[in-house]
Amino acid sequence: MARYDPAAIEARWQQEWDAAEVFKARPDPDRPKYYVLEMFPYPSGNLHMGHVRNYAMGDVVARYKAAQGFNVLHPMGWDAFGLPAENAAMERKIHPGSWTYDNIANMKAQFRSLGLSLDWSREFATCDPEYYGQQQALFLDFLEKGLVYRKAAVVNWDPVDMTVLANEQVEDGRGWRSGALVERRELTQWFFRISDFSQELLEALDGLDRWPDKVRTMQANWIGQSRGLRFGFACETPVHGVEAIEVFTTRPDTLMGASFVGLSPDHPLAKALEAENPAIAAFCADCRRTGTSEEALEKAEKRGMDTGLRVRHPLDPDWLLPVWIANFILMDYGTGAIFACPAHDQRDLDFARKYDLPVKDVFHSLGVERKAEKTNSPTPLDSPELGSDVAFVPPRTEKVVYVRPVAQAGHEMTGEQAVENTIYLAERQGWGTGVMQYRLRDWGLSRQRYWGCPIPVVHCDACGVVPEKKENLPVKLPEDVSFDRPGNPLDRHHAWRNVPCPACGAPARRETDTMDTFVDSSWYYARFTSPGAATPTDRAEADYWMNVDQYIGGVEHAILHLLYSRFFARAMAICGHLPDSAAEPFDALFTQGMVTHEIYRSVSQKLFAENDGTEIQIVHEAYHLPKDVVFCDVGGQREAVLRSEMVEDKFDPDDEQQVKDYLNVFGRTEIQIIPSAKMSKSKKNVVDPVGIVDRFGADTARWFMLSDSPPERDVEWTDAGAEAAHKHLARVWRMASELAPSLPQAGESGAEAAPAGVSDPALARLAARTIHDVTQGIEGFAFNTSVAKLYAFTAAIQKSDAPATDRAAALRILARLMAPMTPHLAEEVWRMLGGTGLLARQPWPEADPALLVDDTVTLPIQINGKRRSELTVARDLPKPEIEAQVLADAAVQKALAGGAPKKLIVVPGRIVNVVV
RNA sequence: GCGGGCGUGGUGGAAUGGUAGACACAUGGCACUUAAAAUGCCUGGGCCGAAAGGCCGUGCCGGUUCGAGUCCGGCCGCCCGCACCA
């Protein structure tokens, strides 16, 4: 008897699809287009399960939309620039380019085995000169439109390796290779003017109604619009020509509770003071030893130093406030200077307590104020001013009593109102301006690295910064570089670096910085519409294919990648490379969860006595590959044993009984099973898709990745689950192959064999219901529920005693519904059961609406909210008649005990609740 | 630290504010088989009960509602992001 043989089936159908060019996308004005895009992968060398899940989901959408008659564009490429290639080059002495292209070849072969409906003719890698050359053209266009500029910015500097470090290369303030303390260093770098678009990027989020709310919220918070007041604290005596310190505050209403003025260590005034005061210089230098990441700054211990300067309160010239430099004040936000009101800001309060600075309440809560009146106490007992270490920070919409207001005393109002009043007052009195401030900073794109897109400008002593001529693009990366010395190889490659100035022809130097890899991924979706164009895009193609109708990827890209792409689409539209209608490039977004796997960890602790007699403890953690472990149930508890240990003790790990015996003899093992952990090589819990495809076939891997867990949530890879998926697919195949011989052969009784519908009433109803539910599941990105319905349908077909032709018709519907998920098996079943042509070209089945409605409904009857009985009635029975029947129900009668119900709630078609 | 999300049986999960646990895994039982594999069928939250049935139950505490896994407030735990990882 033949068996389900995925290896043969999958290879055959992949060839047929290729030969027929089923997935090649061509513009067709007569058909609606649909552009499905999954975030392209970094070519690390191997596909992992996260990829399989991501691309399986995209493939469901692509194949489903194609079946619905859309002209589908479903491309794939490689996000191929970046640090790992340079790390590999350093470690293995190979060129980043050859490492990358080898990885791409490897991964592409793995991709192809999955049978995804991709148009490979559009493939490109961002490290292809054809791609990054067009990116350089974009850069020059942006430069011309004023969307790029240069300014100084800080980087992490490793003083030993003499190189700039990425944030991830900084561990606890030290360089990951050298271990040296990292310093902050200022360099002149290129920036995109994304902050000019802050308001627009924020407002346009409202229109992205097919994006997850969480992503829109995260982006809105990231852009961080806040209304506040900008004003100056006049210096008691001007220092270094500075007459006043400009601050920005979102809480001007707390001005009368001001305690001190704080400066960022990177503030110009702080720098000026540094030059003359060694103590300040030492303090600032110390602050600069933290990494540049916001996280590092926020987590660092809050520290400050009094500069000795004094400034005047804007509303009371006699009130002098001290000026401090504090490490938690960011130069990038607002003016790099703040005033602190400790009573109503926890961080300020902590700081004030630490350095013994004054704390004055500005407002109290209504309740506390009233309680204070009652107890005859002048101020509430538990306020920061009276010593509490908890700042009073009510929601801005809550009414409070102002005890130190900027304008009138004792007013009850919300923080919001008070802020607006203060801004109004400040503007009228001329000491401050109300402004809209954004947290979003300009996007620094310069990277001091080799493996990235060269920034196409030349530095000339006479002409300054000169853009490279477009006809000279691409500015290609030189091939002959080495990574045996620290620093950027482009810097020391004189032949590449020394070029004539494009403007005057005098000897000049190329820019040696390359672009952030986020630039590469900010417009690849546009390039896919015309990957061979001699300009960044071909407008006719872009106009036809844009926007991306469905974008799919991980939540980890919720902010940066997606925000940068939104900026790029706008910038490209300004330069004419995209239509204005593509300013929001992704109509719908879906963020899928991770694939996780158990970790098997053993921890051994050993005590050693050193020579001098002191004992030290060594804790040794080891992780074990799934294949090195066997499992056994011990009293309902799943236990893991190392195979090697069993073998050592002369037990056979492949014999279930011996595993039990072993556990009985040796008791519990040291191996901990940690579930649902993110896959990582160091934890040895990575499942290799190649092995799974070899063992079970691509359809099984795809089916399992789509079943069980909701797509937006993490899914745990388990062998048992994969085996179950495989068993199910084998069952479908077996049902089809057993049924096939009993069907009239094509040509025998006409070509009628295939199209015949399901005539068995029960099976026909279920088929219609399944079509409806599976379609709903796919539309709503609930593939796991679609899969559940398909399981149920399969079981029903198997149990059905309807004639073979009916069951075959039902199976053909099953195949069509499974086609987006398990395309190879679906084609095979379709062909076995007399389907004509490629299933990949068949339209999506439609449910007969008449079969979807039932004549009767069963209503659960609740008594006081608990289900006690049920009632089956005609679907459209009027409410009064339902009520009558409910009251006649035995359980209801019993509960009422002769009385009348307090309330009777009838939700037609849903439920009945009797309140007694 | 800040921002966002998630939390339901032994496990993954299902459930427009309306019968909590669909579907699947694991477990246990049965059938087929010389045996095994494969396959099929049944069971499947906890407690009490012979059963009928009852009580409890969606991380914890409280609230809104005829009715809360779902909505609101407060906690706890885990995950993601924090601008030079991609």
Side-chain angles (χ1 to χ4, degrees):
Chain A
M1 167 90 195
R3 293 178 59 120
Y4 171 47
D5 180 7
I9 292 173
E10 290 175 3
R12 181 164 70 246
W13 291 108
Q14 284 166 18
Q15 278 165 21
E16 292 223 20
W17 296 327
D18 277 354
E21 295 194 330
V22 186
F23 309 126
K24 189 155 181 160
R26 300 175 185 84
D28 176 356
D30 297 330
R31 277 198 299 161
K33 66 90 192 180
Y34 197 92
Y35 183 1
V36 192
L37 185 66
E38 304 99 6
M39 291 177 186
F40 64 165
Y42 180 79
S44 60
N46 283 298
L47 225 50
H48 54 72
M49 274 301 162
H51 292 127
V52 176
R53 193 176 191 210
N54 188 200
Y55 300 121
M57 287 178 192
D59 209 39
V60 170
V61 175
R63 287 176 180 269
Y64 167 70
K65 288 292 175 181
Q68 285 201 320
F70 287 92
N71 186 24
V72 169
L73 171 60
H74 189 203
M76 186 53 66
W78 310 95
D79 190 11
F81 273 136
L83 276 179
E86 290 196 17
N87 291 335
M90 270 177 247
E91 283 158 20
R92 301 177 212 181
K93 307 239 180 285
I94 39 174
H95 191 272
S98 55
W99 182 82
T100 304
Y101 281 107
D102 284 353
N103 283 349
I104 288 175
N106 203 15
M107 275 175 86
K108 188 175 174 182
Q110 296 173 6
F111 254 101
R112 301 218 65 152
S113 75
L114 292 175
L116 301 165
S117 64
L118 293 166
D119 178 358
W120 284 104
S121 71
R122 289 171 188 262
E123 176 193 7
F124 60 76
T126 56
C127 62
D128 295 343
E130 296 73 31
Y131 183 80
Y132 71 70
Q134 295 305 327
Q135 186 162 304
Q136 290 167 341
L138 276 181
F139 179 91
L140 295 179
D141 289 345
F142 287 9
L143 191 60
E144 200 183 308
K145 297 279 182 195
L147 294 162
V148 205
Y149 69 103
R150 295 213 311 161
K151 71 169 179 183
V154 288
V155 293
N156 298 306
W157 178 256
D158 185 320
V160 170
D161 275 354
M162 306 285 281
T163 186
V164 175
L165 298 177
N167 281 337
E168 73 154 11
Q169 297 174 319
V170 181
E171 291 162 1
D172 298 325
R174 291 173 182 274
W176 68 344
R177 275 187 227 279
S178 68
L181 280 173
V182 169
E183 294 167 10
R184 271 193 256 169
R185 201 175 250 217
E186 252 187 17
L187 298 177
T188 303
Q189 308 200 58
W190 289 95
F191 284 82
F192 288 122
R193 287 195 194 275
I194 188 172
S195 69
D196 284 4
F197 294 76
S198 297
Q199 191 183 348
E200 198 198 323
L201 288 168
L202 180 67
E203 284 172 359
L205 285 173
D206 288 339
L208 298 177
D209 52 353
R210 291 169 61 217
W211 280 40
D213 286 341
K214 63 177 172 187
V215 175
R216 292 196 289 173
T217 309
M218 281 191 261
Q219 291 220 347
N221 289 338
W222 185 260
I223 295 168
Q225 186 186 59
S226 50
R227 166 98 169 135
L229 185 73
R230 195 186 271 256
F231 65 99
F233 283 91
C235 295
E236 191 185 16
T237 48
V239 265
H240 302 287
V242 179
E243 307 236 332
I245 296 173
E246 280 283 308
V247 300
F248 169 78
T249 177
T250 58
R251 292 309 296 258
D253 59 318
T254 64
L255 192 49
M256 299 311 283
S259 171
F260 62 96
V261 168
L263 298 179
S264 161
D266 298 316
H267 192 278
L269 181 55
K271 283 182 180 165
L273 294 168
E274 242 184 295
E276 64 184 28
N277 183 331
I280 291 179
F283 177 75
C284 289
D286 209 27
C287 290
R288 285 189 197 111
R289 269 198 263 285
T290 344
T292 56
S293 78
E294 193 172 309
E295 186 188 6
L297 294 176
E298 292 277 341
K299 275 185 180 164
E301 191 202 350
K302 308 292 175 278
R303 293 180 306 140
M305 184 173 187
D306 191 349
T307 61
L309 299 183
R310 294 295 175 264
V311 290
R312 294 182 197 283
H313 195 281
L315 298 176
D316 178 1
D318 296 332
W319 182 353
L320 291 179
L321 294 124
V323 178
W324 284 64
I325 295 172
N327 64 344
F328 60 84
I329 300 168
L330 306 171
M331 191 55 223
D332 291 313
Y333 185 66
T335 61
I338 60 154
F339 83 84
C341 174
H344 304 293
D345 182 287
Q346 192 60 48
R347 191 166 57 183
D348 291 351
L349 183 60
D350 295 343
F351 193 86
R353 293 281 186 250
K354 183 168 179 179
Y355 294 106
D356 203 23
L357 291 157
V359 177
K360 289 179 179 173
D361 294 349
V362 174
F363 47 77
H364 297 137
S365 78
L366 293 182
V368 169
E369 188 72 8
R370 284 187 192 123
K371 206 194 288 171
E373 277 166 23
K374 269 187 215 156
T375 53
N376 254 344
S377 159
T379 42
L381 295 173
D382 195 27
S383 85
E385 185 165 338
L386 293 187
S388 166
D389 284 328
V390 181
F392 177 48
V393 192
R396 286 172 180 224
T397 48
E398 190 177 305
K399 255 194 188 176
V400 291
V401 183
Y402 279 80
V403 293
R404 285 199 182 88
V406 171
Q408 307 117 298
H411 245 94
E412 291 185 9
M413 66 175 90
T414 65
E416 267 173 356
Q417 287 170 326
V419 166
E420 280 312 315
N421 290 354
T422 309
I423 291 172
Y424 174 79
L425 196 77
E427 287 186 337
R428 219 181 48 176
Q429 296 176 346
W431 54 272
T433 322
V435 289
M436 205 59 102
Q437 188 75 41
Y438 295 91
R439 204 183 75 102
L440 181 64
R441 316 199 287 258
D442 277 335
W443 169 13
L445 66 121
S446 297
R447 297 291 180 271
Q448 295 70 39
R449 310 196 191 289
Y450 168 78
W451 194 233
C453 171
I455 294 173
V457 298
V458 173
H459 298 274
C460 170
D461 289 335
C463 313
V465 177
V466 184
E468 184 55 86
K469 289 181 180 156
K470 275 204 179 163
E471 60 264 34
N472 293 340
L473 299 184
V475 175
K476 280 194 195 174
L477 289 167
E479 292 283 329
D480 51 334
V481 288
S482 65
F483 292 85
D484 45 8
R485 276 185 290 163
N488 184 351
L490 294 179
D491 249 347
R492 48 176 193 262
H493 195 298
H494 299 290
W496 183 81
R497 203 181 156 182
N498 297 326
V499 287
C501 168
C504 70
R509 297 163 314 281
R510 273 198 195 292
E511 168 82 55
T512 57
D513 283 357
T514 52
M515 297 187 202
D516 178 9
T517 54
F518 272 124
V519 180
D520 312 336
S521 56
S522 290
W523 71 287
Y524 77 112
Y525 51 86
R527 185 68 183 168
F528 273 139
T529 63
S530 47
T535 45
T537 61
D538 174 309
R539 271 302 296 271
E541 297 275 346
D543 287 5
Y544 177 79
W545 290 113
M546 286 298 287
N547 298 347
V548 175
D549 292 274
Q550 181 66 58
Y551 195 34
I552 304 170
V555 243
E556 63 271 25
H557 297 291
I559 296 175
L560 294 180
H561 163 61
L562 289 165
L563 194 62
Y564 291 160
S565 295
R566 296 176 63 216
F567 161 71
F568 244 72
R570 284 168 170 76
M572 286 176 78
I574 288 169
C575 301
H577 295 302
L578 281 177
D580 289 342
S581 58
E584 283 302 339
F586 311 123
D587 283 351
L589 172 71
F590 187 84
T591 54
Q592 99 278 12
M594 291 185 300
V595 181
T596 61
H597 190 272
E598 289 177 334
I599 293 177
Y600 312 112
R601 184 175 68 175
S602 57
V603 180
S604 52
Q605 298 182 10
K606 288 176 183 163
L607 285 173
F608 292 96
E610 282 190 339
N611 289 344
D612 62 359
T614 56
E615 288 194 338
I616 53 162
Q617 191 179 31
I618 294 179
V619 180
H620 180 68
E621 266 190 353
Y623 295 94
H624 307 285
L625 292 167
K627 68 174 173 62
D628 296 335
V629 183
V630 286
F631 304 96
C632 179
D633 258 274
V634 181
Q637 185 80 27
R638 195 153 148 272
E639 296 280 347
V641 192
L642 266 185
R643 301 180 77 99
S644 56
E645 272 180 18
M646 284 188 67
V647 172
E648 244 172 63
D649 293 319
K650 308 265 188 283
F651 280 82
D652 178 6
D654 293 311
D655 182 330
E656 214 175 297
Q657 192 53 47
Q658 292 208 25
V659 179
K660 274 191 182 158
D661 294 345
Y662 183 87
L663 275 161
N664 280 335
V665 174
F666 293 93
R668 296 205 161 177
T669 62
E670 295 296 310
I671 304 213
Q672 299 169 297
I673 304 177
I674 303 160
S676 307
K678 183 178 181 169
M679 289 188 182
S680 85
K681 268 189 189 161
S682 62
K683 304 279 166 61
K684 295 196 176 176
N685 66 336
V686 176
V687 176
D688 175 19
V690 174
I692 299 299
V693 171
D694 286 349
R695 223 169 117 201
F696 298 120
D699 282 339
T700 292
R702 296 171 55 136
W703 180 256
F704 179 50
M705 281 293 92
L706 295 166
S707 61
D708 286 357
S709 279
E712 67 277 14
R713 233 189 276 180
D714 291 352
V715 64
E716 179 134 63
W717 180 275
T718 61
D719 270 5
E723 274 160 29
H726 185 253
K727 273 184 197 173
H728 180 258
L729 299 189
R731 172 165 58 183
V732 172
W733 184 89
R734 189 163 10 89
M735 285 164 67
S737 72
E738 283 169 7
L739 213 46
S742 59
L743 295 175
Q745 295 303 299
E748 202 174 85
S749 58
E752 275 308 296
V758 184
S759 53
D760 178 76
L763 210 49
R765 292 187 88 83
L766 184 63
R769 178 49 55 191
T770 305
I771 291 169
H772 175 263
D773 290 351
V774 169
T775 307
Q776 290 284 298
I778 293 175
E779 287 280 352
F781 264 85
F783 306 127
N784 55 324
T785 62
S786 292
V787 168
K789 301 293 179 189
L790 291 169
Y791 268 115
F793 189 38
T794 310
I797 298 170
Q798 189 167 31
K799 281 180 202 167
S800 168
D801 47 15
T805 49
D806 271 2
R807 281 179 288 142
L811 271 179
R812 284 196 300 270
I813 291 172
L814 180 74
R816 289 162 73 188
L817 294 174
M818 286 174 75
M821 304 169 185
T822 58
H824 313 90
L825 173 65
E827 290 279 8
E828 188 73 13
V829 170
W830 176 252
R831 182 64 58 87
M832 278 194 280
L833 298 179
T836 46
L838 282 172
L839 184 49
R841 289 207 159 119
Q842 287 293 315
W844 191 246
E846 277 181 41
D848 178 354
L851 294 175
L852 289 175
V853 285
D854 290 321
D855 298 335
T856 60
V857 288
T858 300
L859 300 175
I861 298 177
Q862 293 184 333
I863 294 166
N864 291 337
K866 296 200 177 200
R867 186 189 168 281
R868 283 296 125 97
S869 182
E870 63 181 33
L871 178 66
T872 301
V873 295
R875 184 168 46 87
D876 48 4
L877 192 72
K879 234 174 170 177
E881 289 180 42
I882 296 176
E883 285 175 9
Q885 288 196 37
V886 167
L887 293 175
D889 182 89
V892 175
Q893 290 272 317
K894 195 179 156 200
L896 288 173
K902 266 192 202 150
K903 209 167 180 179
L904 183 57
I905 294 141
V906 177
V907 186
R910 275 265 160 222
I911 202 166
V912 177
N913 193 8
V914 186
V915 186
V916 298

